[in-house]
Amino acid sequence: IGPLQQLPRGTPEAVALGARLFEDPKLSGSGQIACASCHNRELAFADGVSRSFGHDRTRLTRNAPSLVTAGWMSTLFWDGRADSLEAQAIMPIMHPDEMHGSLPEVRTRLAADPAYRAAFARAFGDAEVTDARIAQALAAFQRSLSPRRSRYSRFIAGDVNALDERQLRGLGLFRGKAGCASCHNGPLLSDQRFHNLG
């Protein structure tokens, strides 16, 4: 695969607002479920179960996918029904089995909170709480998530010291005698760094 495209970055204020919204159960009908309930930061923003739990502990039909690379996706949800993070952000809030929320109620709750009004003003220039702004803030936060750069990715990028001798031997086996790379292949590496690995 080639290099990933640069994502549009939200302002730090929009990302901070989105992070707060993401963790806040005020977005759900019950006031007990947040986006983070299914997209757990400690599980790469997924939930680690085969089928997620939603409103009133309803067992959903699918699990929550990781959001770590959601910013680069051109279609979202398992069925591809959303074509942007902004479109995606609102759908779980309104879904009767997921967060069971009502956008007018969510707007009212957020607008009644002075700290949220101040956060919306910092992010958007005034304190008005709208569906579009909620979606934009949540999308800005999700775009701020990205996988950490591994030692291997640093090595691929040219840092010849990123892997130690043991890791280099393992990479040589992976790409050579063990045959792992015939099925588990990544970037095609043909330069001098790989000639002496086997």
Side-chain angles (χ1 to χ4, degrees):
I1 62 172
L4 294 172
Q5 66 184 22
Q6 188 69 32
L7 293 178
R9 292 288 179 193
T11 64
E13 296 80 10
V15 172
L17 173 58
R20 182 172 177 191
L21 290 168
F22 188 83
E23 300 281 343
D24 198 335
K26 285 181 183 173
L27 273 60
S28 68
S30 66
Q32 298 177 348
I33 302 170
C35 303
S37 299
C38 289
H39 297 283
N40 185 330
R41 181 182 303 270
E42 294 180 6
L43 297 172
F45 291 94
D47 60 8
V49 296
S50 60
R51 291 171 52 206
S52 302
F53 290 97
H55 172 72
D56 209 17
R57 296 293 290 168
T58 301
R59 191 70 131 162
L60 303 176
T61 57
R62 298 179 174 105
N63 64 0
S66 172
L67 300 179
V68 173
T69 58
W72 287 280
M73 302 296 176
S74 56
T75 57
L76 297 135
F77 293 106
W78 288 112
D79 60 6
R81 69 183 177 273
D83 62 0
S84 71
L85 285 171
E86 288 78 7
Q88 174 275 328
I90 296 296
M91 292 181 189
I93 296 170
M94 298 186 308
H95 194 287
D97 293 333
E98 292 185 32
M99 293 175 73
H100 195 72
S102 152
L103 288 175
E105 186 177 334
V106 169
R107 288 193 308 269
T108 300
R109 287 178 185 176
L110 298 178
D113 184 328
Y116 265 122
R117 287 197 307 275
F120 274 86
R122 285 190 299 274
F124 297 106
D126 64 66
E128 185 180 9
V129 177
T130 67
D131 300 345
R133 287 178 171 184
I134 293 168
Q136 288 168 7
L138 286 166
F141 170 65
Q142 290 180 74
R143 283 191 187 99
S144 76
L145 306 175
S146 61
R148 293 182 322 150
R149 290 198 64 202
S150 68
R151 288 175 176 231
Y152 178 67
S153 63
R154 293 195 310 270
F155 182 75
I156 297 299
D159 180 357
V160 295
N161 298 315
L163 300 179
D164 63 26
E165 286 301 316
R166 187 175 51 106
Q167 292 163 332
L168 287 170
R169 283 194 307 275
L171 180 57
L173 284 170
F174 183 89
R175 295 188 43 78
K177 292 178 185 175
C180 305
S182 61
C183 293
H184 303 280
N185 54 20
L188 298 175
L189 305 169
S190 59
D191 64 42
Q192 189 59 40
R193 289 172 291 168
F194 294 91
H195 290 299
N196 300 317
L197 292 178

